[in-house]
Amino acid sequence: MTWNLACPDWEQRMRAGRAPITDLPLTSHGDRAVAVYDRLRLSDVDGTPALADASGAWFREIVRAMFGGYDPVTRTRYIRELFALVPKKNSKTTYGALGLMLVALLLNQRPRAPFLMTAPVQDVADMAFASVEGAIALDPVLEKKLWVRGHLKEIIHRETKAKLEIITFDPKVVTGKKVVGALIDEVHVLGKMARADKALLQLRGGMQPFPEAFLAMITTQSDETPAGVFKDELQKAREIRDGKRAGTMLPVLYEFPQEMQQDKQKPWRDPVNWPMVTPNLGLSVDLPRLIAECLDEEAKGEGQLRTWASQHLNIQIGLALMANAWAGAAFWEAAGEVGLTFESLLERSEVVVAGIDGGGLDDLLGLCVLGRERVETEMLVPAHHDETGTLVPEQTVRRKRWLAWHRAWAHKIVLERRQDIAPRLLDFVKDGDLVLVPEPGDDVRAVAELICQVRDAGLLPEKNAIGVDAAGIGDILDELTADHRGIQAEQIIGISQGWRLTGAIKSTERKLAGRQLVHAGMPLMAWSVGNAKAEAKGNATSITKQISGTAKIDPLMATFDAVSLMALNPAAMVIGEDYELTVA
């Protein structure tokens, strides 16, 4: 028998102050676990209260479900995993260490059973161990039952010889371990670690010999766009919660509905809504202090507010806004159009240009295909200052929009050379926005194939059709002008970078702000745009790889190259005969 762990009324439960856990036919083992949990004491709180008085009811429900989802008689575990998404300051690390791992050690019947608690940050692992060690020291019965080896961060049950080990997460250390129970704290950090997915796979594999084994993951939201193993596990938990897939993972996600997070009016910004995602409110979390912190961060700018909200309200970041962020980044997400593809762009456009940038072995090769629509669209142009500094009021106009579609390529070696971004790059590969190529030159050939499809559709201008970073034009020029391609040299132009791109940068900003430029809403581009840093020099604005550091902005630079050409208002071509599209 498999339990249905979906919780379709999760929003209503949270608004009512209840844990977002569906009603389940739990065994009495869950009540026994809660009784043990309630007796444990908090060593770092005034008066060292018992959890019966100091714990939030929400975590008590998690304890009841995780242990009540196991039948000790038949040794059947109906809930094998937990994924809990909880904002900062809600005592998730302390509760997890005590309520899951220490309780599991005490209730375990298997001789010499290994248990593991790990976190990717040393301070978090130390905090967890201190909570367990402190609770044991405050209870004479536990002091007799358990042997604390502080120098090794181990707790050993004197009767069963079972051992709880608390360590900092390291893929090399975790790989190969066999455990009866494990808890991973701050999983969002694992999303940025190379090979974390393989380590988690190994950890799950090490649980196979034990029918009572469980894996718990507790985390806040990421302060960047979710990536890697964190993105995968979060998506899995959401799908189980929403009834879109079956599974033995209990999803406990304290987050606002997507429509609240994406609403331009920011309903999540209203403190009236905060209690629904702050389960420990009134205990470890104080609402007036949260409000004060939010106002402080908001005064520092949109980027700081987003980061704060991701940690304290579990707001998912789609596009990170950093210090010195490019002005157009603030409008990028709103300009996305779901369903825009390479094929539909060609069908809707009267003329199409292309921008190309990057291509080193540890770099991305970015392509922007930019089309001008055949038909005019009514749109609202926000109030703005023109080139003379005159304020132009808000107005409704009819214009032909620009449509942008992107793709990037990378040599496989980039995954080794840039392990800090490897999990994110692999996510883009899954999305279909990034292609890994085995050999140098495969990327350039793939770009040429797409541009030739634009040409065959009769949409490529006769001149100034393909913009390329002037410093890297060689390989592109050779491939595009090869006899079997048929692209003419006068159709390719080197685009000067640095301050000379100011016009294209400003044009892109204005087009985005007025929804006159729309794009396919690719995560790859949100990341690239979020990486870009702008530097003002007099009246000029520069966005370069040197300014942006090691972050990848090649697809965005390709966009500026394409905008430089579309701004020349290329003439529309006559559409040729029917053609068949195949995306390389």
Side-chain angles (χ1 to χ4, degrees), residues 383-434:
H384 64 281
H385 291 87
D386 63 16
E387 290 77 2
T388 66
T390 303
L391 178 63
V392 180
E394 180 180 275
Q395 57 184 313
T396 300
V397 299
R398 292 189 63 84
R399 292 179 181 169
K400 294 181 177 180
R401 295 184 304 175
W402 294 359
L403 311 175
W405 178 87
H406 301 83
R407 178 159 287 176
W409 292 260
H411 193 275
K412 289 184 176 180
I413 198 172
V414 75
L415 299 178
E416 293 298 324
R417 293 187 176 182
R418 292 299 309 275
Q419 293 190 18
D420 56 323
I421 60 173
R424 196 171 297 279
L425 295 181
L426 290 173
D427 285 340
F428 300 145
V429 172
K430 293 177 185 177
D431 296 332
D433 304 336
L434 175 68

Side-chain angles (χ1 to χ4, degrees), residues 524-539:
L524 167 70
M525 287 307 300
W527 177 68
S528 180
V529 169
N531 288 338
K533 290 185 179 181
E535 182 179 59
K537 293 182 179 180
N539 293 326

Side-chain angles (χ1 to χ4, degrees), residues 60 104 132 179 261 286 362-363 431 436 532 583:
R60 192 172 287 107
V132 175
V179 292
Q261 297 193 44
D286 179 73
D362 60 348
D363 216 347
D431 296 332
L436 293 178
V583 180

Side-chain angles (χ1 to χ4, degrees), residues 319-341:
L319 186 153
L321 292 180
M322 63 183 73
N324 303 323
W326 170 48
F331 307 101
W332 184 264
E333 288 180 300
E337 180 181 306
V338 177
L340 177 60
T341 64

Side-chain angles (χ1 to χ4, degrees), residues 445 448-449 452 455 478-487:
R445 286 186 285 274
E449 289 288 345
C452 285
R455 185 270 318 279
D478 291 344
E479 181 63 33
L480 288 174
T481 58
D483 292 342
H484 67 288
R485 298 294 184 192
I487 302 293

Side-chain angles (χ1 to χ4, degrees), residues 175-196:
T175 298
K177 279 190 173 293
K178 292 185 177 181
V179 292
V180 170
L183 187 152
I184 305 176
D185 200 354
E186 299 297 14
V187 180
H188 73 91
V189 180
L190 267 61
K192 308 171 188 178
M193 297 176 62
R195 292 187 289 275

Side-chain angles (χ1 to χ4, degrees), residues 167-225:
I167 63 173
T168 304
F169 186 90
D170 182 338
K172 296 179 182 178
V173 175
V174 173
T175 298
K177 279 190 173 293
K178 292 185 177 181
V179 292
V180 170
L183 187 152
I184 305 176
D185 200 354
E186 299 297 14
V187 180
H188 73 91
V189 180
L190 267 61
K192 308 171 188 178
M193 297 176 62
R195 292 187 289 275
D197 56 339
K198 293 182 175 60
L200 191 57
L201 182 65
Q202 290 276 342
L203 193 59
R204 283 180 165 128
M207 295 180 175
Q208 292 302 318
F210 311 114
E212 74 273 29
F214 70 89
L215 171 64
M217 291 173 277
I218 302 181
T219 183
T220 60
Q221 182 55 265
S222 175
D223 57 1
E224 299 177 4
T225 306

